[in-house]
Every structure is written in structure tokens, then in C-alpha cells.
Amino acid sequence: MQLSKFKFLLAIAFIGVFSLIFTSAVYSDSQNGWKGYGLYNLNNSKIEVLQEDSSIEIENNKLQYNGEFVIKNTTNAETRVALGISASGVEKISMQDKGSYIKWKKRSIESLQNEYKLENQLPQESFWYVFNITLNPAETRIINVNINAVQLLDEQGTYTISYFGDRKMGFSNKAEKSSLYIEMNGFEPYNILSLKGLNPTDISKKGEILVQTDESNMEAITIKYKNVEKQAVDKLLKSPMQKVREIALTFSDKNYEKAAALCDAYLKNPSDKDISNEQIQFLKAESLRRLNKLDKYLELAETIDYSRLFPAELRNKVYLDRLDIYIEQQSQDKIDNLSKELYLLSEESTEFLTAWMEDHGYFDISEPVSGQLNDNKAEVQSSGQTAELIKKWYGQIISMPYTPLMIFLFGLVLGLLLRKPHRSRRRRSSRYIYRM
């Protein structure tokens, strides 16, 4: 009995170890953050990646990646291909071939370099997920790679997402044609700090980006972003002063009336020298905005010293919120003044926001932004009122006793007038022909 129990435990341990090193299930290696590396041809097989279609969905530090690779054997012989993708930042990974999961091994970069002679041919990431497929002569195959990954904050509280950055370094991860779709959940343009390889106009109002390129025109894409409002609240939550923390907690609980009142009480007797009064004023203003007390919000938001806000990019949120209200109020003068103020600022994040807002029509209230819906509604109502007036007028006229006779006589006269020029033209035309 003891021997059987020992064999059973040994078998369980073996299965556990085996599942970690040779499986398609979860393996977490997220301590270094995801870096957007491509799919590598490790054994230099004679294959081509004809097409790579990737989609990335991000929300703060969470990322989901789905990649589809169309691979072709360029030889007239059966070919065994070793493919790999970096394990950096990956929490969960799976690969599929023809709808079936592919088994993979997690291997160190040293073992890959020793087996495939890849010295200086791979990014220096410690571990890789490696799998093998066999292609028939001239066969084309579709491989799908799905990843759940994490993004890490840097010292400034910034997330960075990058892709295509490793494609022009002489590595074996080329694709003839590529498409990349990025969806930023909870997108707010004031959270974008900088772009590389993209223009502000490439990002839609919903935070969607689509890039289509070929190997010769491929550029590295980098997006830096942060959740500026969360950082502003978190700064208050870290205060040693209970009254400051209470403001942040009340605001986070969406009790905006109480949060505004707490801000007023604190500003009369501030107690934390590391928290600027402007930081508290921002939270009060934001509470008023969410209570739809827009005039009171503007009174405060238009006078705050933005240079004393944390993080510095929080000013961009105030600019955008003010602009939304000006558009709703159809105040073109205030829109023009704010746009002039924005164009004078040289910070990269504000330059991005200004260009993005300009592209989406925020500086002209005639554009179809938030106020346009009400304009269209008024236009439809006006058209309906005009139609009703004509209908009423027509009903009154047609009900008069001599209206049918008048219509008959009007039609008879109109017919004679239209007919007379017609006969005159025919007579002139006849005489002209006769003279010929």
C-alpha cells in the first residue's frame, strides 16, 4: 500500500511539472511587462510569413493580444519549423493550428542560442515560448496566437505599449504584409502622453487605431499613456491627513455633493503641505461637473493654476471638459479663446490633445460634435411645423365655396397661356422651312 501511494504521488508531481514545461495552458511570466515582439522563425526554415493580422485590446495595465499568421513553405519538400515568441509580460498564452491547440515549451534564451546558433539574432529576453509545426511542400498554414499580458508602470506612472519595434533589426520575424488594430478601452484623449509612428488623427473618438503596412514601410509604433484622474485621486489617498483621504474616498464612492462640501471645509483650513490647494480645487470642480452644475464648475475650472496640479497632464482633462461645456453652450468666443491658449503650449501631451481635438471638430461648433444633435433635432421640428402650417392653409382654402370654380378657371387660363407660345413657335418654324 505504501509503495502504491508513493507511485501515485510521484505520478501527480510528474504531471504537474510536465504541464508547466510542455503545454498550451497558463504560464505567468509578467514581471518585466509585455513588449510586443513578433513571431520568430528560430531554425531559419525556408518559410515566409505572407500576412500578419494582430489586434490588441488594452485597459490600463491589462492587455489582450490576438495574432493570426499566414505561413507558407517555400520549398518543394516537407519542412519542420521551430517558431517562438517572447515570454516577457505574458500571463496566459495559447497557440492554435487548424482549430487545434499547439503544445509549446518554455525555453531559456541560452538554450535557443545553443541549439539554433542564434547569437545576437533574438531580443535579449530571458525566456521564450517555442513550438514546432510541419508544413508539406508549398503548403500554406494559418497560426493563431492569443496572449493575456500586463503592462508595467514606470517611475512617472506611465504605461507604454509598443509594436513593430523589433522588425527592422535583422531578426527572423518579418511579414510581407501586416495589419494592426488597437482598441483602448475607456479611452480619454487627455490620457495620451506621446505617440511614435502614429499621428493624433490616427486615433478615433472611441480610441481605435488601424495600421496597415508592408515590410518596406513598417514603422515602430509606441503609445505612452497614463490614467491622470486616478493618479490625482491616488495622491490624496496617500496623504497622512485623514481629511484629505476622506475627500478622495468620498469622491471615489461617487458621493459628489459631500465631496464638494469636504473640499470647501478643507480649503478653509488646509493641513497637508504636500497637497496643493489647486489639487483640492480640481476635485471640487470635478464633483460639480459630475453634478451637472456647469456654471459653478466653470467658475472654478477657468481660474485654477494648472501648473500646480498633479499629475501635470491633469490640465489636459480640464481643457477638454471645459471645451465640451463651451460646445454644449454654443459659445464660439470661449472656444476660440481656449484654442488660442492651447496652441501656445508646447508640452507634448497638450500638443497631441490639441491636434486630436482639431481633427475631430472640437474647435468649431458647426461641426457635428455634442451640440449638433440638438441642432438637427430643432431643424426636424422646424420642418414639421412648416409642413403643418401648409396643410392647415391648404385645408382652409379648399373648403371655400367658390374654390373648385376658381381652380378650374385658373387651370384653363394657364393652359391657354402655355399653348399659345407653342403654336407661335411652330408657325415661325414653318415659314423658315418654306423660305428654304
Side-chain angles (χ1 to χ4, degrees):
M1 287 292 293
Q2 291 180 348
L3 184 60
S4 298
K5 185 177 181 180
F6 175 79
K7 288 181 178 179
F8 175 78
L9 293 173
L10 185 62
I12 292 296
F14 176 80
I15 292 171
V17 174
F18 185 82
S19 65
L20 288 174
I21 63 174
F22 192 70
T23 185
S24 60
V26 176
Y27 192 99
S28 178
D29 187 26
S30 57
Q31 65 269 21
N32 294 320
W34 190 76
K35 299 179 182 177
Y37 291 123
L39 186 64
Y40 282 74
N41 176 8
L42 298 176
N43 60 346
N44 291 318
S45 301
K46 301 297 182 180
I47 64 164
E48 292 180 352
V49 180
L50 303 180
Q51 180 76 31
E52 173 192 0
D53 296 309
S54 300
S55 66
I56 300 172
E57 183 177 345
I58 58 176
E59 184 169 3
N60 294 328
N61 68 324
K62 294 296 182 182
L63 180 147
Q64 289 186 334
Y65 166 87
N66 296 287
E68 182 174 276
F69 300 84
V70 181
I71 299 172
K72 182 179 181 180
N73 181 2
T74 59
T75 72
N76 293 321
E78 185 178 270
T79 301
R80 185 168 176 79
V81 185
L83 298 169
I85 193 165
S86 167
S88 178
V90 174
E91 289 187 322
K92 180 179 180 180
I93 187 169
S94 66
M95 297 98 163
Q96 293 185 39
D97 176 16
K98 297 180 180 179
S100 299
Y101 285 102
I102 304 172
K103 293 182 178 180
W104 47 261
K105 290 182 179 180
K106 186 182 181 188
R107 298 186 55 180
S108 68
I109 188 172
E110 292 81 10
S111 68
L112 294 178
Q113 290 172 342
N114 291 336
E115 179 174 354
Y116 299 114
K117 311 302 180 186
L118 294 174
E119 189 70 32
N120 299 321
Q121 294 183 45
L122 288 178
Q124 296 303 297
E125 299 295 340
S126 300
F127 293 96
W128 293 73
Y129 297 109
V130 180
F131 62 98
N132 299 291
I133 60 171
T134 300
L135 298 173
N136 294 322
E139 181 184 7
T140 299
R141 192 86 61 83
I142 297 177
I143 304 297
N144 294 97
V145 178
N146 302 301
I147 290 173
N148 287 356
V150 295
Q151 300 282 88
L152 297 184
L153 284 172
D154 64 15
E155 294 178 355
Q156 287 72 43
T158 301
Y159 297 107
T160 301
I161 179 174
S162 59
Y163 207 72
F164 296 144
D166 58 337
R167 304 310 173 87
K168 290 189 174 181
M169 297 183 177
F171 298 145
S172 57
N173 60 342
K174 304 287 191 301
E176 290 185 12
K177 294 182 179 181
S178 298
S179 70
L180 174 65
Y181 171 76
I182 300 176
E183 180 179 355
M184 305 179 74
N185 290 335
F187 170 72
E188 296 290 356
Y190 50 75
N191 285 332
I192 302 294
L193 305 186
S194 66
L195 296 176
K196 179 182 178 182
L198 293 169
N199 296 313
T201 55
D202 294 326
I203 305 181
S204 75
K205 280 190 174 183
K206 294 182 179 180
E208 298 170 313
I209 303 166
L210 178 62
V211 177
Q212 294 176 310
T213 184
D214 56 30
E215 184 179 331
S216 60
N217 296 314
M218 188 174 293
E219 291 187 38
I221 290 173
T222 303
I223 305 172
K224 290 184 178 293
Y225 62 99
K226 66 168 59 173
N227 189 329
V228 298
E229 185 180 306
K230 183 177 184 301
Q231 285 194 12
V233 175
D234 286 348
K235 182 175 178 63
L236 270 62
L237 288 173
K238 294 175 183 177
S239 170
M241 299 303 175
Q242 189 270 337
K243 289 184 178 180
V244 176
R245 296 196 304 274
E246 185 181 4
I247 292 172
L249 289 170
T250 305
F251 179 85
S252 299
D253 289 339
K254 301 182 180 180
N255 189 345
Y256 302 125
E257 287 279 7
K258 183 179 179 181
L262 289 172
C263 289
D264 283 335
Y266 177 83
L267 289 170
K268 292 177 181 177
N269 186 25
S271 56
D272 188 342
K273 60 181 179 60
D274 293 327
I275 301 294
S276 70
N277 286 348
E278 286 78 8
Q279 200 77 11
I280 303 298
Q281 289 172 345
F282 163 78
L283 224 58
K284 177 187 174 181
E286 184 63 13
S287 297
L288 294 171
R289 187 183 72 85
R290 298 190 184 194
L291 290 168
N292 206 34
K293 298 180 179 180
L294 301 184
D295 290 336
K296 290 185 177 180
Y297 166 80
L298 289 176
E299 287 178 10
L300 191 52
E302 290 172 344
T303 57
I304 291 177
D305 181 358
Y306 300 156
S307 67
R308 293 178 59 79
L309 293 177
F310 175 87
E313 296 80 14
L314 193 61
R315 65 180 182 274
N316 295 334
K317 171 177 169 52
V318 183
Y319 283 131
L320 182 60
D321 290 339
R322 284 173 56 189
L323 193 54
D324 279 334
I325 296 171
Y326 297 156
I327 291 170
E328 184 178 337
Q329 295 177 344
Q330 297 284 285
S331 180
Q332 188 66 59
D333 288 342
K334 287 191 173 183
I335 293 172
D336 292 341
N337 291 334
L338 183 60
S339 67
K340 291 175 184 177
E341 183 179 343
L342 286 167
Y343 283 124
L344 293 174
L345 300 174
S346 58
E347 291 83 357
E348 188 173 6
S349 62
T350 308
E351 288 179 347
F352 162 80
L353 180 66
T354 305
W356 185 90
M357 290 192 297
E358 183 179 31
D359 181 65
H360 289 88
Y362 276 77
F363 296 140
D364 186 351
I365 57 176
S366 65
E367 292 291 330
V369 289
S370 58
Q372 190 69 20
L373 184 61
N374 294 328
D375 293 344
N376 292 340
K377 184 178 179 181
E379 184 179 345
V380 171
Q381 289 174 343
S382 177
S383 300
Q385 291 169 356
T386 303
E388 279 296 315
L389 186 62
I390 294 172
K391 183 178 178 181
K392 183 179 180 181
W393 175 77
Y394 175 79
Q396 290 174 347
I397 292 177
I398 204 68
S399 64
M400 294 174 65
Y402 296 105
T403 295
L405 179 60
M406 292 172 65
I407 293 174
F408 172 77
L409 292 174
F410 177 79
L412 181 63
V413 173
L414 184 62
L416 290 172
L417 291 172
L418 293 173
R419 189 179 178 186
K420 186 177 179 180
H422 185 62
R423 289 203 307 268
S424 175
R425 283 196 299 271
R426 286 205 309 183
R427 283 198 299 270
R428 286 197 296 270
S429 178
S430 318
R431 287 198 298 271
Y432 181 76
I433 293 171
Y434 175 75
R435 288 174 182 171
M436 290 296 291

